[in-house]
Amino acid sequence: MIDVAVVGSGISGLSVAWHLSKKGFEVKVFEKEDLPGGNIQTVKKEGFILELGPQTIMADKRVEEFLSDAGIEPEYASERAKIRYIYKKGRLISLPLSPLSFLKSPLLSLFGKIRVLKEPLIAPSIKPEESIAEFVIRRLGKEFHDYIVAPFISGVYAGDTEKLSVKYAVRRVYELERNFGSLIKGAIKLKALGPAGRLISFPGGNYTLIERLSSELSVDTENVVLKIRRKDDRFIIDAKNGKYEAKAVVVSAPATSAGYLLRDISWSASQEFDQIYYAPIVVVHASVEKGSIPEGFGFLVPRVEGKRMLGVLFSSQIFTGRSPEGKELLTIYLGGATDPEVVEYEDELIYSLVEKELKEILRIDKVQFLNLTRWKRAIPQYTIGYGKYLDLAKTLEEENPGLFLTGNYLYGVSVADCIRASYEVAERVERFLTRR
């Protein structure tokens, strides 16, 4: 009997497994696909390094500590990556990085800027939960929502601000109002509003992280888990390649898969997890001539501008070695919760849409397409009422000692969120096993 069975080899599962393995526990990771990593996938093609999933990692001290312990050397984003653009009325406008540049920026009208500056005078809401759109428009105005917040949420969640919960999707912002009565006052007192840390990847791409972690673990690929059952003081894992017994189980699969696996343990929980919506995303990689795009991280496209693209990253300007000499690599996003049907379009139609909008926005003549990836269930949406799923996961663990749930539908959608959560989850598993 193994100590811990980890179901799913995305970054959530691998990082928990890595912690426990280092503690001396016997850990086996089950993966249904032929390669580990979940949606962290890197492809090298024609001299380009293409990230099919997450492009960057925002590494704070905890994430840097994890990478150091794992013996992985990160690559830090270039200084150019600090320059970010928003598309508005036919041109790219750099996102202001200071109060003075905000006042001078044409991104918002004079009325929009005055509305933002009135934010400290707005009383906190008495409602227990609001959508991001409702919260931001109430505190900062519609213009700030449409041209700054909504595009940012598209970039992080591929989400719809009308449906996402401010309490669960952007909890730090929610707590600023609760703790300080104002976002601006809170940001001044904390001397920060955005995420802490430095933007990183790895010289060979993000899959380097997956390769490093899985090289030190027992990862059983192409061995799909069909069912998890509890029997006395142990768990029975029915998988494609046989039956396994484990003292503890960590389910790090996406919510729908987790629900299916746990149907014999809790049918009601299985049905609830199946309701969690994952926004679909199309990722297109394209090449353009060097010098044909501005310097920077890339640009976001507000939904109010009527385009199909959510945003474009200038990937070869963020990290070195991402494109061959004389070329720039673009990573383009479409779909999301506000335009889900695009994921079903034929490749040629998607390429046509992207080429038309790239030429219009960047004023370039030629685009060479390299790759197209469809993620039909890409990012879990922390919608209004999402707390019930978090409560359900907690109850399920309490009622089934030895069962642990993790993943980006519970602890935050970013790679960094998953790594940070792995410390807490691994500690809980360790406590259970040592008391057993």
Side-chain angles (χ1 to χ4, degrees):
M1 180 167 58
I2 56 180
D3 291 325
V4 187
V6 176
V7 182
S9 70
I11 187 58
S12 292
L14 288 180
S15 50
V16 171
W18 185 85
H19 285 299
L20 292 170
S21 179
K22 290 299 177 185
K23 294 283 187 179
F25 296 106
E26 183 185 356
V27 183
K28 188 176 188 64
V29 182
F30 294 83
E31 173 54 50
K32 67 178 180 179
E33 304 295 344
D34 58 348
L35 289 172
N39 62 9
I40 298 181
Q41 297 183 21
T42 306
V43 171
K44 297 178 181 178
K45 183 177 183 179
E46 299 175 22
F48 294 91
I49 297 178
L50 314 179
E51 298 289 2
L52 308 188
Q55 302 293 311
T56 61
I57 300 169
M58 181 60 78
D60 61 6
K61 289 182 180 179
R62 205 74 196 269
V63 173
E64 296 247 28
E65 174 191 332
F66 177 83
L67 297 176
S68 176
D69 290 346
I72 308 171
E73 189 70 31
E75 176 185 3
Y76 296 95
S78 69
E79 283 296 308
R80 292 179 295 184
K82 293 179 180 178
I83 306 169
R84 305 183 181 212
Y85 301 94
I86 300 288
Y87 176 74
K88 182 179 183 181
K89 293 179 170 46
R91 63 174 176 145
L92 295 179
I93 299 172
S94 59
L95 196 62
L97 299 176
S98 69
L100 183 60
S101 62
F102 168 75
L103 292 173
K104 293 181 177 179
S105 172
L107 186 56
L108 298 185
S109 68
L110 177 60
F111 175 80
K113 293 171 186 174
I114 292 172
R115 179 64 180 83
V116 170
L117 294 175
K118 290 169 65 176
E119 189 273 340
L121 305 177
I122 304 297
S125 173
I126 59 172
K127 295 179 66 174
E129 192 172 358
E130 293 177 287
S131 70
I132 292 176
E134 190 177 5
F135 178 90
V136 172
I137 292 171
R138 175 174 60 80
R139 296 214 63 87
L140 296 156
K142 191 172 188 306
E143 203 174 336
F144 190 89
H145 167 268
D146 289 350
Y147 280 97
I148 295 180
V149 173
F152 170 78
I153 293 299
S154 287
V156 175
Y157 277 94
D160 183 347
T161 58
E162 298 282 352
K163 296 178 181 177
L164 289 173
S165 166
V166 70
K167 182 177 181 179
Y168 296 106
V170 284
R171 191 170 190 89
R172 190 177 179 191
V173 174
Y174 167 81
E175 289 177 347
L176 283 177
E177 183 185 59
R178 286 290 180 270
N179 296 334
F180 300 99
S182 160
L183 308 187
I184 293 176
K185 288 178 183 176
I188 291 171
K189 289 184 179 180
L190 298 177
K191 298 181 180 179
L193 179 58
R198 300 172 67 183
L199 212 56
I200 67 162
S201 180
F202 308 94
N206 287 337
Y207 200 73
T208 302
L209 173 59
I210 301 302
E211 289 176 323
R212 181 74 180 106
L213 296 177
S214 36
S215 69
E216 297 189 12
L217 297 167
S218 171
V219 182
D220 201 357
T221 55
E222 296 185 276
N223 190 12
V224 60
V225 173
L226 305 170
K227 187 186 298 185
I228 299 170
R229 295 174 287 137
R230 187 169 181 178
K231 183 179 179 182
D232 301 325
D233 63 344
R234 65 193 64 187
F235 291 89
I236 310 297
I237 294 95
D238 294 324
K240 174 186 172 185
N241 295 343
K243 283 183 169 56
Y244 304 82
E245 292 189 353
K247 298 173 185 175
V249 175
V250 177
V251 179
S252 66
T256 302
S257 299
Y260 177 78
L261 293 171
L262 298 170
R263 63 195 185 279
D264 277 17
I265 293 176
S266 173
W267 177 256
S268 60
S270 171
Q271 296 298 296
E272 287 290 336
F273 284 143
D274 196 47
Q275 301 303 310
I276 294 177
Y277 175 62
Y278 281 66
I281 295 177
V282 175
V283 184
V284 177
H285 290 92
S287 168
V288 297
E289 294 300 315
K290 194 172 184 65
S292 62
I293 59 175
E295 284 195 350
F297 182 87
F299 64 90
L300 293 168
V301 184
R303 298 291 79 197
V304 292
E305 288 293 324
K307 304 297 183 187
R308 302 301 291 274
M309 296 192 306
L310 297 174
V312 177
L313 297 188
F314 303 156
S315 301
S316 53
Q317 295 199 20
I318 303 171
F319 300 108
T320 59
R322 301 295 161 127
S323 61
E325 190 70 29
K327 299 290 184 180
E328 298 277 15
L329 173 62
L330 306 181
T331 305
I332 302 108
Y333 293 92
L334 302 95
T338 58
D339 191 16
E341 61 270 15
V342 74
V343 77
E344 303 294 344
Y345 288 4
E346 296 290 334
D347 288 8
E348 288 309 312
L349 177 54
I350 293 174
Y351 285 142
S352 175
L353 287 170
V354 170
E355 183 173 24
K356 177 178 180 293
E357 293 189 4
L358 282 178
K359 287 182 175 180
E360 180 181 342
I361 294 172
L362 294 173
R363 296 176 172 83
I364 52 180
D365 297 323
K366 186 179 179 183
V367 180
Q368 177 193 353
F369 290 106
L370 303 167
N371 196 70
L372 189 151
T373 307
R374 289 176 175 82
W375 297 99
K376 293 194 174 183
R377 291 175 54 82
I379 302 176
Q381 301 295 292
Y382 287 38
T383 50
I384 295 286
Y386 200 82
K388 69 177 181 180
Y389 300 118
L390 306 182
D391 292 341
L392 178 61
K394 185 178 179 180
T395 300
L396 199 56
E397 290 182 347
E398 289 172 349
E399 293 177 349
N400 297 275
L403 173 66
F404 302 89
L405 306 180
T406 190
N408 66 356
Y409 70 99
L410 295 174
Y411 294 102
V413 300
S414 74
V415 174
D417 289 330
C418 296
I419 291 174
R420 283 190 291 268
S422 71
Y423 283 89
E424 178 198 335
V425 176
E427 285 169 5
R428 288 194 282 117
V429 176
E430 181 184 5
R431 283 198 301 270
F432 168 77
L433 290 172
T434 53
R435 292 172 183 170
R436 194 173 183 272

